[in-house]
Amino acid sequence: MKKIKQLEQQLAQLRAAIEQGEQPVVGLKAQREATTTERARIEARLAEIKVEQESQRARIIAEAQLVATTITSVYLNPRLLERDFDVVVVDELSMISVIGVLLVVSRALKHVVGAGDPMQLPPVVVLNHEEQAPLARQWLGKDLFTYLGVSIFDAIGGAKECVLLTEQGRSNPAIIAPINHYVYQDMLTSRPETLHAPGIGPHLEWPLMLVDTTGSKARCLKPGREKPRENKYHARLAVTIAQQVLASLPPLSPEDDPTIPRVAIVAPYRSQVNLTLRKLREAKIAHLVHMGTINTVQSLEFPVEHNMATGATRKLNVAWTRAKQKLILIAHRKHLRDHLPRSGQDTPKGQRLMWSLVEWAAREGCIGSAEYIDPDQYDEKQE
């Protein structure tokens, strides 16, 4: 009997504990129900706000005298796609597929104005399975200039309803001069403010300069079939010069965004970009430098650019004209002289232009890469 009483007491204690524990549970259940109710109320209100926003957006678009938007927004916003406009202006024509241009200009009732440069890059199209969509590159990768056969010479001559805007306000005249001569037939003029920016090192007196790696240990290697080609010396040189450039930049002005790099390094292919980027990180300056291929700088501009780029005429033009105050070209001049065709009808225009630009830069200001990398101290195996 005594043992039974002990068990009954223990059972009573357990029941009391359970009852005591159930009280918070009941409270938590009540809180959960209240939270669920509040969440439903908030979601309902958000849905109402979304409807109100859509209504306001539709009203603004319907009543607006001027709408500024992107091609993608027109794709995605039925309000834009359904509205007619007296005039449609399309900027950066070279970067928009002919399909995209046709879509937006179909909303014009009276006039269409296209602005752009046929010597800038065409639309970028990445196809994982091109064989499954044979017409995709033809239409998505072709800009209106190409489709209509409009060239820079038509713009210069005023043909095919083209007007050439001849004033540029980005680059120092010394930087733009060779592109103006070889690409734009000396038609461009520079605004006065392009001359007033302070010089930037190295060599403050040279807005355009060539760093010649002739006689150095520079070489482009492709170790194996599965490994990409790399030029370790040029990567190291670009980073070394970037460090000097960053040290000589003038202070930021109040209107400058401190999060945007003021120095760019442009490389000809992705593997060289990755190699140089690793070295920028090792030097702890990657956050201060834009590192990329030509396609990454199409719509950008920088006070200083290091250019290791090669390619067709349009790519060279884009790469060259990103720099505002200083352009540093890195090239192995002797290798180009020995291996790059420079004349003849069968020579690609990009190759002829590349050589002409290198020689022009050399005349503006040329130094050997040994000024930055001691040949006796450089060891490729340690790179």
Side-chain angles (χ1 to χ4, degrees):
M1 293 296 291
K2 186 177 180 180
K3 188 172 183 179
I4 292 175
K5 288 182 178 181
Q6 290 177 346
L7 291 174
E8 287 177 346
Q9 289 177 353
Q10 291 178 6
L11 181 60
Q13 292 174 355
L14 290 173
R15 285 175 177 171
I18 291 173
E19 290 177 0
Q20 187 177 4
E22 284 179 346
Q23 291 177 359
V25 172
V26 172
L28 289 173
K29 286 181 178 179
Q31 291 180 19
R32 186 183 68 178
E33 291 175 0
T35 301
T36 301
T37 302
E38 179 65 11
R39 178 179 176 180
R41 187 191 68 79
I42 293 173
E43 289 178 345
R45 181 56 185 149
L46 288 174
E48 293 174 0
I49 293 173
K50 186 175 181 180
V51 171
E52 292 174 6
Q53 285 180 331
E54 183 58 33
S55 175
Q56 291 294 327
R57 190 178 293 113
R59 183 185 63 79
I60 291 171
I61 291 175
E63 298 177 358
Q65 295 296 303
L66 174 66
V67 175
T69 185
T70 64
I71 297 293
T72 303
S73 292
V74 178
Y75 288 163
L76 300 178
N77 191 329
R79 305 292 183 182
L80 288 171
L81 197 55
E82 292 166 0
R83 184 184 161 176
D84 293 328
F85 297 87
D86 291 330
V87 181
V88 171
V89 179
V90 186
D91 195 14
E92 293 288 359
L93 270 181
S94 75
M95 292 195 69
I96 307 171
S97 71
V98 67
I99 298 296
V101 174
L102 291 176
L103 178 69
V104 297
V105 301
S106 68
R107 311 322 306 158
L109 297 176
K110 297 180 180 179
H111 300 285
V112 172
V113 179
D117 186 346
M119 299 309 297
Q120 299 285 304
L121 294 181
V124 177
V125 179
V126 178
L127 300 173
N128 293 329
H129 303 286
E130 189 166 352
E131 69 281 357
Q132 297 179 11
L135 296 179
R137 187 171 299 281
Q138 177 182 347
W139 290 105
L140 297 178
K142 182 180 292 184
D143 61 79
L144 191 64
F145 291 122
T146 303
Y147 181 78
L148 296 177
V150 174
S151 70
I152 190 63
F153 301 106
D154 294 320
I156 291 172
K160 300 180 181 178
E161 300 185 13
C162 293
V163 175
L164 180 67
L165 303 181
T166 60
E167 190 178 63
Q168 71 88 23
R170 172 185 294 157
S171 300
N172 183 289
I175 296 173
I176 207 69
I179 290 294
N180 185 24
H181 180 72
Y182 293 113
V183 177
Y184 298 102
Q185 306 296 299
D186 294 315
M187 294 293 293
L188 301 183
T189 61
S190 297
R191 293 207 293 263
E193 60 265 27
T194 59
L195 277 169
H196 297 157
I200 296 175
H203 293 279
L204 303 177
E205 71 278 15
W206 295 340
L208 172 62
M209 61 180 286
L210 170 69
V211 179
D212 187 1
T213 58
T214 298
S216 71
K217 298 178 181 179
R219 56 177 181 165
C220 191
L221 296 177
K222 194 175 187 302
R225 181 177 298 180
E226 303 300 324
K227 294 185 178 181
R229 54 182 175 171
E230 294 178 338
N231 190 322
K232 295 181 178 180
Y233 185 91
H234 276 199
R236 172 59 60 196
L237 178 61
V239 174
T240 302
I241 295 175
Q243 291 172 313
Q244 293 192 17
V245 169
L246 289 168
S248 70
L249 285 174
L252 286 169
S253 62
E255 60 270 16
D256 289 332
D257 185 343
T259 66
I260 299 177
R262 294 198 287 166
V263 177
I265 301 177
V266 180
Y269 34 83
R270 177 54 54 184
S271 57
Q272 190 68 18
V273 169
N274 293 336
L275 173 63
T276 309
L277 187 56
R278 289 198 301 270
K279 296 187 181 301
L280 287 169
R281 288 170 179 156
E282 292 171 2
K284 302 186 186 307
I285 58 172
H287 63 293
L288 300 173
V289 178
H290 175 94
M291 181 70 235
T293 61
I294 298 171
N295 286 333
T296 69
V297 297
Q298 161 81 350
S299 59
L300 305 177
E301 58 183 34
F302 305 90
V304 183
E305 179 190 346
H306 306 172
N307 192 338
M308 299 183 283
T310 61
T313 299
R314 290 172 76 162
K315 285 192 173 184
L316 288 172
N317 182 46
V318 169
W320 198 276
T321 55
R322 300 308 95 191
K324 296 174 64 177
Q325 296 164 239
K326 193 176 191 72
L327 175 61
I328 302 171
L329 188 64
I330 298 175
H332 194 296
R333 196 176 176 195
K334 182 179 185 303
H335 178 83
L336 293 178
R337 183 187 298 113
D338 294 343
H339 297 89
L340 192 64
R342 299 185 293 280
S343 61
Q345 295 298 320
D346 297 331
T347 302
K349 292 182 179 178
Q351 293 183 346
R352 297 201 300 270
L353 179 60
M354 183 73 241
W355 176 252
S356 298
L357 293 176
V358 168
E359 288 301 284
W360 191 299
R363 291 192 296 271
E364 291 292 314
C366 181
I367 57 173
S369 59
E371 183 168 322
Y372 302 101
I373 299 179
D374 187 340
D376 296 329
Q377 300 295 324
Y378 178 77
D379 185 355
E380 186 179 80
K381 295 179 180 179
Q382 296 180 2
E383 293 296 321

